[in-house]
Amino acid sequence: MSPFELSQAVENLKVFFTNFSDLDGRYDPEFYRSREKLIKNFFYPLDKISNSFFIKDGDHDKLPVDAISDELEGKRYLRSQDLKNNEIISANPVYVSSEYFKKMSRCHIYAGDLLFSIMASVGATAIVPNGFPSCMANRAVGILRPKKYLRFLPEYVQVLFNSNVGMALINIQKRGGIQQRINLADIGQLRMPVPDENIQKKIIDIYSNALNLKKEKEVASQSLLDSIDTYLLNELGIIFPRQDNSLDERMFFSSVKDVSGGRFDSDFHRVFYKDLTLELLKKTKVEKIKDISLAVFQGVGKDEVSFSEFKLLKVKNIKQNNEIDFSEIEYIKHVPHRKILCFNDIISPFIGEAIKQYKFSSFVERQGKYTVDNNTGVIRINTSLCNPIYVCDILNSVLVKFQIDRYLGGGGVPFLGASRVKEILIPIVPIEKQNEIAAHIQSIREQAAELQREAVQILEDAKVQIERMILGDSEV
């Protein structure tokens, strides 16, 4: 039998040959099988990223506590979570001292650099804009710095990294293990299709226009959601008290009888909270949650199993805008009957930082038996007294957000708990009005959700068009 003959017992479709000169420092056959299956369809020639970019990453050292600074005195320290929606975002930024920044010159970032997440959220990108303040990165951020002569426009590479084709190439190239990541060497070995510059620019324009339209849809969607509080306050005839953080307004007196047996922290007794309560009592009939509910309780303990008839919802399943994500369901051994969710039960985080996201969602009818974990609470509304959807809308409104802030108080782990939830004040209007308000807010949420779906579809359509151009299935 010659060296290239296979036994008849071997499935030919599972065997392939490649030249030793074509190996890119890897010997796992699945890598080459997947890559060749994909790139054989490309219309344009391929080139390695390393031929057009210098490739490096950020600081490998653990950031010392004494190196952390602030915006005024320090320099920005970028992490993978700072790359989002093709931009460098400013949520929860980290800064390092000027001394530490100077010491880590290898990790400095400059305008025009293409940043690329190589850990955790693999694939997130941003191009550093002109005028961006001096900054550096940690090891989770790859830095692609354009060479003098390059075949790829950086913006084109960014589009590819966000396209279905680019992600397929990245997924083939990245190495597995406990934490999904792509190594610097892998980035350099990525072979991407190289159309001429005019076509690259056209692809950039298609993607940029789609991103702009997507953002417009998202802004319109958020504007609709933001209008819910205004609508609700108008319908209830409630004028939201003015907030004044001046020193004079932060100073007040309270009698001992007003605080005895209760809270002694000054924030709980702020004038604003008292004004809000008085406005509620003056304009509407008000009931506490405990007076309009059949039960308020926390979920069950942690005895999860791989499969059971009892399905477990956690804080991660509760989304904004009265939505529940049923895509990632866990299971639990046993649930007391009283803690099995009923149709229109309201669920929300009761313990932890997630409380500050103010998420209450009504449980829609689903096949099977559901419950929640013990970080999550359940409010079971008495439907003979109130429309549960109306109550859920109130709970998600500004009228309750400030009540929650009042109960949470200062530091420590945020804790709401059943006892505090029972004390939340809910404005009560006739049931017909509750139904009308609930229906109108649901309509607003549906319009906002449709705009969000359109935003996603606009970008997906652009990705499909770009993919066809790269594969030569579309006129350019």
Side-chain angles (χ1 to χ4, degrees), residues 237-348:
I238 294 173
I239 299 174
F240 206 69
R242 178 180 63 90
Q243 293 194 75
D244 188 343
N245 288 321
S246 65
L247 180 60
D248 288 343
E249 290 295 323
R250 297 202 309 265
M251 296 177 64
F252 60 90
F253 295 94
S254 186
S255 63
V256 174
K257 69 177 183 179
D258 290 336
V259 298
S260 295
R263 296 272 292 269
F264 287 87
D265 50 308
S266 59
D267 186 71
F268 185 83
H269 297 280
R270 278 173 54 198
V271 173
F272 168 77
Y273 293 137
K274 292 184 177 180
D275 289 346
L276 175 58
T277 303
L278 288 173
E279 178 69 11
L280 283 170
L281 295 171
K282 181 173 65 175
K283 295 296 179 66
T284 62
K285 178 184 176 183
V286 173
E287 298 284 3
K288 293 181 177 179
I289 284 288
K290 67 182 180 182
D291 297 320
I292 60 172
S293 61
L294 299 173
V296 179
F297 57 87
Q298 286 176 229
V300 295
K302 299 179 179 179
D303 59 344
E304 292 95 338
V305 293
S306 59
F307 184 78
S308 165
E309 65 172 321
F310 299 108
K311 301 176 182 180
L312 186 68
L313 296 175
K314 295 187 172 184
V315 169
K316 67 181 181 180
N317 299 104
I318 306 172
K319 304 302 180 183
Q320 299 284 6
N321 305 316
N322 193 19
E323 293 182 357
I324 300 174
D325 180 8
F326 292 95
S327 63
E328 294 185 25
I329 298 298
E330 298 182 25
Y331 299 88
I332 196 162
K333 289 180 182 177
H334 177 72
V335 179
H337 186 268
R338 64 185 179 86
K339 292 195 174 185
I340 295 175
L341 293 181
C342 300
F343 177 59
N344 274 343
D345 277 354
I346 299 169
I347 64 175
S348 175

Side-chain angles (χ1 to χ4, degrees), residues 411-426:
V413 177
F415 176 78
L416 198 54
S419 60
R420 289 175 172 176
V421 169
K422 289 178 181 179
E423 299 299 313
I424 290 175
L425 299 175
I426 302 294

Side-chain angles (χ1 to χ4, degrees), residues 124-148:
T125 64
I127 293 178
V128 182
N130 291 327
F132 195 82
S134 300
C135 59
M136 62 176 289
N138 71 3
R139 65 176 301 194
V141 177
I143 305 167
L144 307 184
R145 184 161 297 152
K147 294 181 177 180
K148 185 174 182 180

Side-chain angles (χ1 to χ4, degrees), residues 60-111:
H60 281 232
D61 295 335
K62 183 178 180 181
L63 182 61
V65 174
D66 60 3
I68 297 175
S69 184
D70 56 31
E71 183 177 6
L72 186 62
E73 300 290 337
K75 303 290 186 181
R76 184 78 185 272
Y77 182 84
L78 298 178
R79 305 150 298 166
S80 60
Q81 58 262 47
D82 296 320
L83 310 180
K84 189 175 182 181
N85 297 327
N86 300 302
E87 296 175 338
I88 301 172
I89 62 173
S90 299
N92 303 313
V94 172
Y95 296 90
V96 295
S97 66
S98 296
E99 293 77 14
Y100 190 79
F101 179 78
K102 290 176 183 176
K103 174 183 172 184
M104 305 304 297
S105 58
R106 185 190 71 82
C107 312
H108 288 184
I109 290 170
Y110 301 100

Side-chain angles (χ1 to χ4, degrees), residues 20-51:
F20 183 82
S21 59
D22 291 334
L23 297 181
D24 288 328
R26 293 179 62 163
Y27 297 93
D28 42 321
E30 183 61 27
F31 166 74
Y32 294 100
R33 188 184 71 83
S34 300
R35 189 177 71 173
E36 293 307 315
K37 184 177 179 181
L38 177 63
I39 67 177
K40 71 179 182 180
N41 296 315
F42 287 158
F43 184 68
Y44 298 101
L46 305 178
D47 196 21
K48 291 182 180 180
I49 292 291
S50 59
N51 290 336

